[in-house]
Amino acid sequence: MSNPVIACRNVWKLYGPDPVNFLRELDGQDPGFEALREQGYISAVRDVSLDIHHGEMLVIMGLSGSGKSTLVRCLSRLVDISGGEIDVDGADLSALSETELIDLRRNKMGMVFQSFGLLPHRTVLDNVAFPLEMRGQDKHARRARAMEMIELVGLQGREEYFPRELSGGQQQRVGIARSLAIEPDIWFLDEPFSALDPLIRREMQDEFLRLQDLLGKTIVFITHDFDEALRLADRIAIMKDGAIEQCDRPGNIVMNPATEYVAKFTEDIDKARVVHARDLMMPVSSGVPEGAAISAAATVHDLARRLVDDLNPQIPVADENGAVVGVLSRDAALNVLLGTA
Ligand SMILES: Nc1ncnc2c1ncn2[C@@H]1O[C@H](COP(=O)(O)OP(=O)(O)O)[C@@H](O)[C@H]1O
Ligand SMILES: [Mg+2]
């Protein structure tokens, strides 16, 4: 696999009297959230190790207060970490100078927040062009770029509106367009859809998937909604009390939850819509079974008809190039379909 875009090694963020020295004395041990609190420290991020790869959508999921925002603020060094190391494109984030940091945030990192953060007295166009203005781009070029982004998020015709004249969903589209204007390599989104109505929210998720298909960015997306995480993620990192309980593909998380805490989230999930053939398949050991191959990217739900009609106990699974990469057991897949897995 290629080098990670972001690599976190044993990252800590403690709030309390003297975090750095306190951590040094712990010497790599993690006494746990409660024990730390008894000693006067809130562990907002607790011993997190994580690689984020080029073009992947990593979703950080956890309840309110679990440390999601703090972790992402550490990744952009909006807060300094108390221990561990974060590398961005191979460079130690904590070793960057103030100007290098500003450069990184202005040119490489896009950010979107739940609260939109639009400038109320500026039009849609001027909001989207704002980061380009900060960067000193000339007026003509930044207007052209801003218009492009406005079109990308489906707001053409509304360039001259003010934020207050837009719905919540439209305002967040402006936020998204603005964050994309600088062509970031890494895109951080902290609960971007949490303030929106459920229907709008779903629409925005679809839009977001369409955009990602088009742009292929490296994305860290935060949510407290497990369904949203399942819909969007390549991988989900589930946080509790500052630590990552499990980080895996959605299908693996619902099939093999690592802890009881994770299992609770997966209880009411329709697994057939989340688990893909690739999550269940076994290596080809004794020859490729008969029958047309199914796609590794198909969900068990997509395969329902075939699983019922095709009595062969084993079904070949192919990758996107049509090469057979595994074997699916009909029984195992039916168990997922019927909720008996
Ligand atoms: N500046 C701060 N000072 C003290 N505690 C903080 C600070 N920022 C965050 N925390 C605490 O860190 C924990 C994680 O917060 P946060 O990252 O905002 O969680 P989330 O985004 O998952 O809701 C919470 O217990 C919060 O109260
Ligand atoms: Mg938060």
Side-chain angles (χ1 to χ4, degrees), residues 68-69 190-191 222:
K68 307 179 298 295
S69 294
D190 189 348
E191 308 219 23
I222 294 182

Side-chain angles (χ1 to χ4, degrees), residues 15-16 33 42-45 62-71 73 190-191 222 239:
Y15 289 104
F33 186 86
I42 293 291
S43 34
V45 175
L63 302 180
S64 175
S66 57
K68 307 179 298 295
S69 294
T70 307
L71 177 57
R73 292 170 74 82
D190 189 348
E191 308 219 23
I222 294 182
M239 285 188 84

Side-chain angles (χ1 to χ4, degrees), residues 61-121:
M61 205 284 306
L63 302 180
S64 175
S66 57
K68 307 179 298 295
S69 294
T70 307
L71 177 57
V72 165
R73 292 170 74 82
C74 291
L75 299 181
S76 54
R77 223 182 112 188
L78 287 170
V79 299
D80 283 317
I81 57 180
S82 321
E85 184 174 332
I86 300 174
D87 291 347
V88 176
D89 279 336
D92 181 355
L93 198 58
S94 61
L96 297 187
S97 69
E98 197 55 38
T99 29
E100 286 170 321
L101 250 186
I102 290 172
D103 183 60
L104 183 75
R105 292 201 204 105
R106 269 194 194 158
N107 299 306
K108 270 198 160 173
M109 293 177 165
M111 300 191 199
V112 180
F113 301 100
Q114 177 180 345
S115 58
F116 315 145
L118 303 180
L119 300 164
H121 303 297

Side-chain angles (χ1 to χ4, degrees), residues 105 108-112 179-180 182 184-189:
R105 292 201 204 105
K108 270 198 160 173
M109 293 177 165
M111 300 191 199
V112 180
S179 71
L180 287 174
I182 62 156
D185 296 333
I186 310 167
W187 202 12
F188 298 113
L189 299 104

